[in-house]
Amino acid sequence: MSDLQERARALDAADELAPLRELFTLDDTVYLDGNSLGALPRHVPARLQEVLTREWGELRIRSWGESGWWTAPERIGDRIAPIVGAAAGQIVVGDSTSVNVFKAVVAATRLAPEGRDEILVDADTFPTDGYIAASAARMTGHRIVPVAPAEVPGALGPRTAAVLLNHVDYRSGRLHDLPALTAAVHAAGAVSVWDLCHSAGALPVDLDRHGVDLAVGCTYKYLNGGPGSPAYLYVAARHQPVFDSPLPGWTSHADPFAMTPGYEAADGAVRGRVGTPDILSMLALESSLDVWDGVGIEAVRAKSLALTDFFLECVAEYVPEGRVSSATPAAHAERGSQVALRCEDAEPVMGALIARGVVGDLRRPDVLRFGFTPLYVGFADAERAARLLADVLAG
C-alpha cells in the first residue's frame, strides 16, 4: 500500500461525514459526477412508492390538501433555505433553472431604477443562462453586456439594471466572490441575480447575509433531488412586495381558485410560482433533502476543500508530468467543489476512466471534470481516481 493510500484510509477513518455515505445507493464505482447528477438517497424509492400508491392511488385529488401537495413548493423551499443561508419564506421550488433565470432576470429589470438599459452577464456563463438573458433583454428593451465576473466592478455604471452571475464556473470550478460582487452591484444601484447550481449543497452561500437580491438554482446536483428535479427561486424578503414576475401563473395568484380574469399577486415567495407543481419529482426532492438533517454546510465545505486538495496532490504524484494541468484555482477562496483538468485527449481518457470504474465527465474540447460531493465521496475515492487516471494516461 502506498503512502497516499494509507493517508486516504486515515483521512476516511477520521471523517465525521463518512457515515452519510450509507444513506445513498452506491456501489464500488468511484462516482465523481455529483456536480451533474447527485446519487440516489436509499429511502427515496419507498417514499415515492407511498406517494404513488396512497397519495395518488387512494386519496387522488384529496392529496392536494390532505397530503400537503399544494404547499409543497414553499415547504420544500424552506428546507433548502438553511443550505443556502436564507431565512424561511424566501424560496419557492418549481419549474426548471432556465425558467427561473427568465423570471429572475426580467423581474430584476423591473426592480431596477428607471432609465437603465443594460444587463451584465457572466461572459463564460452556462449557455442556457446566456440564451435566456439575451431573450429577456430583447423582450424588455435592454442590452446584454458580457463581462468576466472579476471585471464586473469596472463594467458597472448608471445604465446597469441587473447583473447575472454564476457562483461557481461550471467548466473550471472557479468560485466567484459573491459578497464583493454583490456589494459592487448594489453600490452601482443595480440588482444582483446569482445562479447557484454549482455551489448550493457544496459550500456556504449566505444569501441573506450578503444581501443578494434574487437567486436561482437546480436541485439535482449537490442536493441529490433526482434527474430533472425542480429548481428554485430565491426572492429576498425586502423585494417580495414589488416582485413582478413575467410569468404570472394561476398558482401565484392571491386567490387562485377564484379563477378571476384579473391577476393579483399573492404575498411572499408564492409570487414566484407559475403553474401546477410537478408533484412526483417535487416530493422525491423533499425526501432526498432528509440526508441534510443535522449536517452543517461548514463541515461540508471543509471536507470538500480537503478532498480536492488531496485529489490534486494525488494527481501530481501519480500522473505523468505534462499530461494534465489544473484549470481549477489552487486558492481555497476561489475553488468550488470540483476539479477540472485540461487534457489533450479528454474524451477518450474519460471513456477509459469510466470503463475502469471512475465516473466523471468532460467539457469539450479538453476538460476532464471531477465533482466531489462530500456527503458520499471519500478520500480513498479521490486516491483511486487519480491512480487510475495515471494508469490510463500512461497506457
Side-chain angles (χ1 to χ4, degrees):
M1 183 177 294
S2 71
D3 289 344
L4 287 172
Q5 286 175 300
E6 290 182 356
R7 279 183 55 203
R9 291 184 62 178
L11 288 166
D12 281 332
D15 176 20
E16 63 179 287
L17 298 182
L20 295 175
R21 181 184 174 91
E22 297 304 314
L23 301 179
F24 293 87
T25 302
L26 294 164
D27 50 26
D28 291 335
T29 299
V30 176
Y31 188 65
L32 302 181
D33 210 5
N35 54 330
S36 287
L37 177 64
L40 171 69
R42 291 183 183 275
H43 64 281
V44 171
R47 171 59 181 138
L48 277 181
Q49 187 63 37
E50 178 186 20
V51 172
L52 290 169
T53 57
R54 173 156 174 76
E55 295 184 11
W56 181 13
E58 297 176 15
L59 295 178
R60 293 177 288 275
I61 196 71
R62 292 162 53 193
S63 276
W64 285 105
E66 294 182 28
S67 300
W69 288 3
W70 185 259
T71 58
E74 295 76 50
R75 182 177 71 245
I76 302 171
D78 285 346
R79 301 253 339 243
I80 293 172
I83 300 173
V84 295
Q90 299 178 99
I91 294 178
V92 64
V93 173
D95 305 311
S96 66
T97 306
S98 301
V99 172
N100 285 320
V101 167
F102 178 75
K103 295 179 205 172
V105 170
V106 174
T109 65
R110 295 173 177 177
L111 286 170
E114 291 186 12
R116 294 174 177 245
D117 62 355
E118 293 183 347
I119 302 172
L120 271 57
V121 178
D122 183 344
D124 294 319
T125 189
F126 187 77
T128 289
D129 286 22
Y131 306 156
I132 295 291
S135 178
R138 292 193 299 272
M139 294 176 64
T140 59
H142 288 69
R143 183 172 73 96
I144 288 290
V145 180
V147 59
E151 297 171 4
V152 164
L156 292 163
R159 297 179 62 180
T160 308
V163 182
L164 171 63
L165 296 170
N166 291 267
H167 196 190
V168 173
D169 184 277
Y170 78 101
R171 284 192 186 91
S172 68
R174 177 179 291 276
L175 172 65
H176 298 303
D177 193 341
L178 181 149
L181 290 170
T182 301
V185 171
H186 289 167
V191 179
S192 63
V193 181
W194 284 92
D195 183 330
L196 310 178
C197 285
H198 287 270
S199 59
L203 53 91
V205 179
D206 292 327
L207 293 174
D208 287 353
R209 178 184 172 196
H210 300 306
V212 169
D213 300 298
L214 304 168
V216 302
C218 67
T219 61
Y220 48 79
K221 300 183 190 298
Y222 296 109
L223 298 183
N224 310 297
S229 57
Y232 56 90
L233 171 67
Y234 165 88
V235 181
R238 65 185 180 280
H239 293 310
Q240 290 177 5
V242 292
F243 177 80
D244 186 4
S245 173
L247 297 173
W250 76 283
T251 67
S252 65
H253 195 284
D255 188 0
F257 293 99
M259 303 295 176
T260 58
Y263 180 76
E264 179 185 349
D267 293 330
V270 177
R271 289 184 178 217
R273 291 175 65 154
V274 183
T276 305
D278 186 342
I279 289 300
L280 296 182
S281 61
M282 190 165 291
L283 296 185
L285 165 63
E286 181 175 35
S287 183
S288 296
L289 291 171
D290 289 349
V291 301
W292 284 92
D293 290 348
V295 178
I297 195 66
E298 295 291 348
V300 170
R301 175 59 168 166
K303 181 177 176 182
S304 166
L305 291 172
L307 277 169
T308 49
D309 277 344
F310 185 65
F311 177 68
L312 286 168
E313 181 183 351
C314 291
V315 168
E317 178 69 23
Y318 291 149
V319 173
E321 187 174 355
R323 292 293 278 118
V324 300
S325 62
S326 178
T328 301
H332 286 182
E334 299 175 6
R335 189 194 308 167
S337 198
Q338 73 179 52
V339 172
L341 299 178
R342 296 200 179 280
C343 177
E344 281 185 4
D345 42 357
E347 191 163 354
V349 167
M350 183 54 71
L353 266 179
I354 292 172
R356 297 187 186 205
V358 176
V359 177
D361 68 7
L362 68 139
R363 287 293 176 262
R364 291 182 291 177
D366 63 348
V367 173
L368 302 169
R369 289 199 323 171
F370 301 94
F372 290 83
T373 305
L375 298 190
Y376 54 76
V377 172
F379 293 89
D381 295 322
E383 186 277 335
R384 180 181 167 197
R387 180 161 35 87
L388 290 178
L389 174 62
D391 288 348
V392 168
L393 292 173

